[in-house]
């Protein structure tokens, strides 16, 4: 059996506890992407200054529920953070350990193409079992080979647009307000994305600009000036935006 489960991912279930509650509307005012339209989508929860705190994929579920595919290590923290904004609303926010995130490199039956980049493959959420086999290392190598940053180690405290959120379909500029929206929108209007996250060979990484290194893959994720990025060093999905 092919290993497909991403053990370092968890699922947060955000569910209405009353017929009058609207979970998509609740998350719409918090996350960077439009969760009221076709799902799944890639989105972030930002600081008021527009810096990344958490990134996630948002999935639909029955009964007006939404599922957040997020880092397992920080899932409880994300659930608590979202609960701060719930106030008196009758919405349940909890990590659901009965389901798991799965991934395959190629799109096929049963999954959804990754909304960030089609070449990332397909993902799906399914009941967790004791027979699930881990695909985390294979997924990480594939993701980094495509130059796609992800997770707190790579994204934390970086302005959302500098994480390549536009190119990876992680922001909607026509959805209205959300946390960090003002600075994010201003950067977009003024074309002021001066730095970007870039996956580079470890021997070309600048330690002062390095977010994280992966010695087993001989790669690092650096936060570099756009002016210093050579077009042939950037992934194809990023390169076109560097010439605009």
């Amino acid at each position: 059996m092919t290993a497909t489960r991403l053990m370092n991912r968890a699922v947060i279930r955000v569910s209405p506890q009353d017929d009058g509650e609207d979970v998509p509307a609740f998350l719409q005012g918090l996350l960077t992407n439009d969760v009221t339209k076709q799902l799944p989508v890639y989105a972030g929860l930002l600081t008021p200054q527009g810096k990344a705190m958490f990134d996630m994929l948002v999935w639909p579920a029955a009964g007006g529920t939404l599922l957040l595919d997020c880092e397992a290590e920080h899932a409880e923290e994300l659930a608590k953070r979202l609960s701060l904004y719930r106030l008196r609303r009758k919405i349940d926010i909890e990590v659901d350990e009965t389901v798991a995130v799965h991934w395959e490199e190629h799109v096929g039956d049963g999954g959804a193409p990754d909304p960030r980049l089609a070449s990332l493959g397909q993902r799906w959420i399914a009941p967790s079992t004791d027979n699930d086999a881990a695909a985390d290392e294979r997924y990480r190598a594939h993701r980094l080979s495509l130059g796609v940053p992800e997770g707190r180690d790579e994204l934390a405290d970086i302005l959302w647009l500098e994480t390549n959120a536009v190119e990876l379909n992680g922001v909607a500029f026509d959805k209205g307000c959300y946390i960090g929206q003002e600075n994010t929108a201003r950067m977009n209007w003024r074309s002021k994305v001066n730095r970007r996250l870039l996956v580079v060979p470890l021997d070309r990484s600048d330690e002062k600009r390095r977010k994280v290194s992966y010695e087993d893959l001989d790669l690092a994720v650096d936060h570099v000036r756009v002016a210093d990025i050579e077009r042939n060093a950037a992934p194809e999905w990023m390169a076109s935006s560097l010439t605009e």
Side-chain angles (χ1 to χ4, degrees):
M1 182 177 65
T2 303
T4 62
R5 181 171 172 179
L6 299 180
M7 298 291 186
N8 63 4
R9 305 293 292 184
V11 176
I12 295 175
R13 184 176 293 272
V14 187
S15 308
Q17 298 301 303
D18 184 277
D19 290 341
E21 285 293 356
D22 187 337
V23 168
F26 167 66
L27 290 177
Q28 186 79 338
L30 301 176
L31 304 182
T32 61
N33 216 333
D34 194 332
V35 300
T36 66
K37 297 179 180 178
Q38 184 175 350
L39 300 176
V41 296
Y42 177 58
L45 179 64
L46 311 183
T47 68
Q49 294 74 34
K51 295 183 177 181
M53 287 197 298
F54 304 91
D55 68 326
M56 70 204 77
L57 276 76
V58 183
W59 295 81
T65 292
L66 294 181
L67 305 178
L68 309 183
D69 163 0
C70 63
E71 284 187 285
E73 181 180 359
H74 305 296
E76 292 287 354
E77 183 183 352
L78 173 56
K80 290 179 181 178
R81 174 69 62 169
L82 292 172
S83 296
L84 293 176
Y85 301 108
R86 179 178 52 190
L87 302 177
R88 296 180 181 275
R89 299 187 66 166
K90 295 181 179 179
I91 294 175
D92 190 36
I93 304 171
E94 61 180 357
V95 178
D96 186 349
E97 297 181 354
T98 69
V99 293
V101 178
H102 291 260
W103 166 83
E104 284 184 340
E105 182 174 347
H106 302 291
V107 176
D109 295 334
D114 193 302
R116 292 169 291 181
L117 200 65
S119 52
L120 277 170
Q122 67 173 352
R123 298 166 83 100
W124 67 97
I125 294 175
S128 56
T129 74
D130 293 337
N131 295 323
D132 291 340
D136 298 87
E137 295 304 314
R138 188 161 51 91
Y139 168 70
R140 178 173 62 104
H142 181 64
R143 173 176 67 80
L144 291 171
S145 74
L146 296 171
V148 177
E150 177 183 281
R152 176 169 293 183
D153 286 349
E154 299 174 18
L155 306 182
D157 298 323
I158 301 296
L159 290 165
W160 188 237
L161 296 193
E162 294 185 352
T163 72
N164 306 303
V166 172
E167 293 75 17
L168 295 174
N169 304 309
V171 59
F173 292 110
D174 59 353
K175 67 177 289 287
C177 294
Y178 54 87
I179 300 171
Q181 182 266 344
E182 183 175 356
N183 197 32
T184 302
R186 185 184 301 114
M187 287 180 66
N188 181 62
W189 293 334
R190 296 180 178 178
S191 299
K192 288 292 186 180
V193 181
N194 297 320
R195 298 185 185 275
R196 288 184 180 273
L197 290 177
L198 185 70
V199 178
V200 298
L202 189 55
D203 62 0
R204 297 183 186 177
S205 174
D206 181 347
E207 188 174 352
K208 295 180 180 179
R209 298 297 180 189
R210 186 182 303 156
K211 290 291 292 179
V212 62
S213 62
Y214 300 100
E215 295 185 4
D216 59 321
L217 299 174
D218 198 30
L219 294 173
V221 179
D222 285 10
H223 185 214
V224 302
R225 288 173 49 87
V226 170
D228 295 334
I229 301 176
E230 297 180 6
R231 183 182 173 89
N232 61 5
E236 183 178 352
W237 56 262
M238 183 196 297
S240 60
S241 66
L242 298 178
T243 61
E244 293 179 356

